[in-house]
Amino acid sequence: MRSYGGVDIIGAGLVGLSLARELAGMGISTTVYDGKGRVSDGAAKASGIFSAAGLDRIGIPYRDSVVNTLNGATLHAGGEALRIKAGGVQAYVADRGMLAEAAMRAAEEAGAEVLLNRRLSRAQLLERAHGERIIVGADGAVSTVASAFGFPDIKEYVLTYKAEYEVARMRDRSMVGLYFDNRIAHRFFGWTVPYSETRLEIGIGISDRARITSASAFRRFVAEGGIAELEGGAKMVNGYASLIPLTARRRTVIGNVALVGDAAGQVKATTGGGIIFGVSCAKLLAQQIKRAIGGTGRLHEYDTMWRKRFGMDLKMHSILHKYYSTVDSRTLGLFFKMSRLFGSEEFFSKYGDMDRPSLMLKRFFLRGLAR
Ligand SMILES: Cc1cc2nc3c(=O)[nH]c(=O)nc-3n(C[C@H](O)[C@H](O)[C@H](O)COP(=O)(O)OP(=O)(O)OC[C@H]3O[C@@H](n4cnc5c(N)ncnc54)[C@H](O)[C@@H]3O)c2cc1C
């Protein structure tokens, strides 16, 4: 069995930094490399919605980063709306830059070394893999580590565009809006996220199979999407394009190289949320690295571990995504209308857990049986 002297993590995103915190906390020599000058650079390209339960689980000190709390979501399609609102706080809107800074402090306090302005090239990565350290690619959706070491491709990406608006009138600052219309948001959706009484995020995702840019889809969404908050005047403050992987790679370990987070495609296909999933997988990876270094396990077992733990949820997210991404908005609107009649608003408000839909159903059936 090969012996390892420590871990090099490529990428100081939230997943890479969380892995570094875990490993350094176990006393393992850990270095993180990132091409950025500050970990918060580019953070505004993504949204910051996290389930309250999920954030508590992953262990990033997040309290100071919270800008808003959410009680639910309104789903829009074909002129119908399904309003799912719980009694208490279901999710947080966090400032992603502040969260990244907090994750970095936690990693360094645990003893990890974080080296910024250090983008590693393909050649440097290949050379490094001959050494005695484990290499982890936590380098995001377009992973250089994955391509350098010949990992299988991610089959589909979502191209995104999101912007912040100053609005005259917020409808309900505790509710996210999700807009399904495959003619505008091909195989994904548009969204609104309130930050405050006057600041609103508007975003859209489209499959990379659509032959348009996310910016042009965004313009159409703003013009035709029927976003009520834009009535009465709104001013666009900024705008960013980015990318979300929609499928997991078929392999996430080759030799002494492992992938985690977006680099591995560990993302919920329904919403594109990747932090809770990615950091949960990073925790499993840290445990397996500890075993591999201690000689009681092999690195490649991580691949089976995370699929076993989250495979059912990945599958359910993928089934849900397949449904809403192929159906036309009128049919989906009709489905909202029917499910409203059957009390789905109440069901989801009570049992909804969008991080782990399999747990949500298990809970529903167990409570049903226990009655
Ligand atoms: C519009 C949008 C909205 C989103 N909304 C949410 C949300 O509300 N909730 C949620 O949970 N998720 C959301 N996501 C997904 C979430 O942002 C990602 O899943 C998450 O950022 C992945 O974290 P990561 O650490 O794996 O990768 P990243 O955050 O992409 O970090 C990768 C890091 O690697 C560095 N890097 C890359 N190549 C190299 C190299 N060769 N050498 C050194 N460093 C390198 C990069 O500079 C970067 O810092 C959203 C994404 C988008 C695009």
Side-chain angles (χ1 to χ4, degrees), residues 183-264:
R183 289 168 315 140
I184 300 178
H186 182 63
R187 288 175 59 74
F188 212 62
F189 55 86
W191 67 85
T192 56
V193 181
Y195 291 178
S196 69
E197 286 305 329
T198 54
R199 191 163 279 229
L200 181 74
E201 173 187 313
I202 301 180
I204 194 166
I206 54 168
S207 167
D208 61 349
R209 296 173 192 174
R211 287 166 195 276
I212 51 168
T213 64
S214 57
S216 64
F218 179 83
R219 283 192 293 274
R220 188 166 170 205
F221 176 45
V222 168
E224 300 175 26
I227 303 167
E229 287 86 350
L230 292 179
E231 289 161 15
K235 188 170 158 263
M236 187 168 159
V237 180
N238 56 31
Y240 306 94
S242 193
L243 206 64
I244 296 175
L246 210 52
T247 58
R249 292 188 200 269
R250 274 188 296 102
R251 217 173 149 186
T252 53
V253 181
I254 295 178
N256 60 331
V257 183
L259 302 178
V260 71
D262 273 20

Side-chain angles (χ1 to χ4, degrees), residues 10-17 33-36 39 41 45-50 96 118-121 125 138-145 158 160-162 191 201 204 240 242-245 260-263 266-268 271-276 278:
I10 319 305
L14 288 175
V15 177
L17 289 169
Y33 298 86
D34 202 296
K36 295 189 293 199
V39 284
D41 288 349
K45 288 182 179 178
S47 323
I49 301 179
F50 305 100
R96 291 279 303 253
R118 289 287 299 274
R119 186 174 177 84
L120 298 190
S121 67
L125 288 166
D139 52 341
V142 189
S143 166
T144 313
V145 176
V158 168
T160 61
Y161 195 91
K162 64 154 274 230
W191 67 85
E201 173 187 313
I204 194 166
Y240 306 94
S242 193
L243 206 64
I244 296 175
V260 71
D262 273 20
Q266 290 159 339
V267 171
K268 295 188 285 182
T271 62
I275 301 296
I276 309 285

Side-chain angles (χ1 to χ4, degrees), residues 317-337:
H317 280 294
S318 163
I319 290 169
L320 283 170
H321 171 256
K322 218 169 249 166
Y323 176 70
Y324 78 66
S325 65
T326 45
V327 81
D328 67 90
S329 60
R330 268 192 56 200
T331 311
L332 197 58
L334 205 62
F335 171 73
F336 288 172
K337 196 171 173 180

